[in-house]
Amino acid sequence: MLELQHIAVQKNGTPILMQVDLRIAAQEIHSILGRNGTGKTTLAYSLMGLPDYALNAGDILWEGRSITNLSVAERAKLGITLAWQEPARFEGLSVAEYLHLGQQGKKAAFSPAQCLDQVGLDPTAYLARTVDATLSGGERKRIELAAVLAMQPRLAILDEPDSGIDALSLDFIKGVIRTLVREGASILLITHHEEVAAMADRASVLCAGRILKTGLPEEATRLFRNHCQPCRHVNEPEEELIHYV
């Protein structure tokens, strides 16, 4: 479904991603394992087409066709969506309105209430709430994941969905990921937690902007656990890069 061919991304003249090759099949869960500063979020933003993360080299193919020059909106129309590491803010909307946004023009498989149930939030307590600062970070994360489910994407890019989430919430997130796959989606699951990566069909280890290995999750997590250590090189501003030793 999705293929990255030798993609490279620079920020302010600094290489972030270098010669990254990756393939994601239909209805596959593919984990990207890497510590902070390895380029995981840059990879997510580049795939979504954010203007500040345009490719310096390489190509992104969607079902065999290049989408490298398509905008965020055009990629979204293809069915690609991104759940941010820091949940997006839509101040003033009710949760119900927010969940309806991605369903416009679609025959919805799940109602907003069902989407909230899937992430472990009581619809009677949350549908009428406003998306604002009264929601905790964990609540925002789960509501954003409910919105991804409501969108019925063909490819969901989940950037650290487990960040700042307790163990109970993590179980709900895993459940949503499985539901998305059953509904026909592919998942790119970006994480530095081995427990989350373990649910994938395949996993890749990203280090210093390069893919070190792609294989079964247990193979990737073994490499990640035993060989990825912080080093002093700079990859992303004010973040550590990881060195393969």
Side-chain angles (χ1 to χ4, degrees):
M1 177 175 284
L2 181 77
E3 182 176 359
L4 311 186
Q5 296 182 336
H6 312 303
I7 72 166
V9 177
Q10 294 184 7
K11 291 288 288 179
N12 301 319
T14 301
I16 306 298
L17 298 176
M18 293 164 278
Q19 300 294 308
V20 172
D21 292 293
L22 190 67
R23 288 185 178 185
I24 301 174
Q27 291 185 269
E28 177 184 16
I29 303 174
H30 195 117
S31 283
I32 300 291
L33 263 171
R35 299 192 189 277
N36 291 337
T38 58
K40 303 190 305 299
T41 293
T42 294
L43 177 62
Y45 290 0
S46 296
L47 288 178
M48 197 64 238
L50 271 65
D52 291 340
Y53 293 83
L55 302 190
N56 296 99
D59 205 2
I60 301 173
L61 302 182
W62 177 259
E63 297 182 328
R65 180 171 70 93
S66 176
I67 61 169
T68 299
N69 296 319
L70 295 188
S71 67
V72 174
E74 289 169 324
R75 296 186 200 200
K77 288 179 181 178
L78 293 174
I80 303 171
T81 192
L82 168 65
W84 312 80
Q85 181 176 356
E86 173 62 28
R89 293 179 178 270
F90 292 88
E91 309 296 341
L93 289 179
S94 71
V95 171
E97 290 168 333
Y98 176 48
L99 295 180
H100 273 301
L101 280 177
Q103 294 183 321
Q104 294 180 5
K106 296 180 181 178
K107 184 178 179 180
F110 302 100
S111 69
Q114 288 171 320
C115 292
L116 288 177
D117 271 330
Q118 287 276 331
V119 297
L121 296 177
D122 180 2
T124 61
Y126 282 89
L127 280 173
R129 285 191 64 177
T130 302
V131 181
D132 59 19
T134 64
L135 293 169
S136 70
E139 287 170 328
R140 279 182 178 271
K141 274 250 169 159
R142 289 202 269 176
I143 289 169
E144 184 175 38
L145 197 57
V148 171
L149 183 59
M151 290 176 193
Q152 299 171 244
R154 297 189 63 200
L155 172 67
I157 305 166
L158 307 181
D159 187 14
E160 303 276 9
D162 46 321
S163 176
I165 293 294
D166 58 34
L168 179 60
S169 300
L170 186 57
D171 287 340
F172 283 111
I173 287 173
K174 289 179 179 179
V176 170
I177 291 170
R178 295 187 183 100
T179 299
L180 284 165
V181 172
R182 284 197 303 271
E183 291 295 313
S186 299
I187 308 292
L188 183 63
L189 182 55
I190 297 173
T191 184
H192 61 268
H193 287 147
E194 296 176 26
E195 177 189 353
V196 176
M199 71 179 299
D201 300 299
R202 292 189 302 147
S204 297
V205 179
L206 183 66
C207 172
R210 300 179 187 272
I211 297 288
L212 295 182
K213 182 181 182 63
T214 295
L216 295 173
E218 55 266 32
E219 297 171 342
T221 53
R222 189 181 309 119
L223 176 64
F224 176 73
R225 184 186 311 123
N226 295 333
H227 295 287
C228 289
Q229 302 294 333
C231 75
R232 296 180 181 177
H233 298 289
V234 174
N235 184 23
E236 297 179 3
E238 299 181 2
E239 291 190 31
E240 287 181 311
L241 207 160
I242 304 303
H243 182 54
Y244 177 59
V245 294

